Amino acid sequence: MKKPHLFVLALAGALCAAPAFAQDGGGTATLRVDVGSAMVSNGGEFVSASSGTQVTAGSRVMLAEDSRATLVYPNGCTQPLSSAGVYSVPATCVAAAGSTGATAATGVDAGGLATVAGIAAAGAAALATMDDVEYVEPPPVSR
């Protein structure tokens, strides 16, 4: 009878770990100004930004003429900004083809994959314990 309690405990652990995986990176990136100058806007006016500035998903980065910058995500994936213009900061790295970033090489979010795998394992454990109840034949029916 302890197996259902173990299942509930495993499921609770998987559900508690899911937000930790979801918060990995938190939709922020670090702006690295490689050449020239950059400005950042969080919905208001653009302000000057230097290398190391943290930018959140949805922010906009504006590069001046002859400027280059890179968005560096916590998982190591990078997104180059190579020409003058305004760029929107995505929540996850959208690396160019052929880059060597962590998510760019496989196209898989490791934290999300771990969460799904944990939930699948908990579901498999639940299904495995469903057959542990012994069958008891019912008493004969009398007329």
Side-chain angles (χ1 to χ4, degrees), residues 9-91:
L9 183 61
L11 183 61
L15 292 175
C16 290
F21 286 119
Q23 291 174 0
D24 186 30
T28 62
T30 302
L31 178 67
R32 184 178 70 207
V33 180
D34 301 321
V35 175
S37 63
M39 300 180 82
V40 176
S41 170
N42 291 319
E45 293 185 25
F46 281 92
V47 294
S48 293
S50 59
S51 283
T53 300
Q54 296 292 310
V55 290
T56 58
S59 298
R60 294 179 299 153
V61 176
M62 181 169 52
L63 294 182
E65 288 293 323
D66 299 323
S67 296
R68 287 191 313 268
T70 304
L71 294 174
V72 181
Y73 286 82
N75 63 1
C77 185
T78 60
Q79 181 179 359
L81 310 175
S82 57
S83 61
V86 177
Y87 299 87
S88 180
V89 177

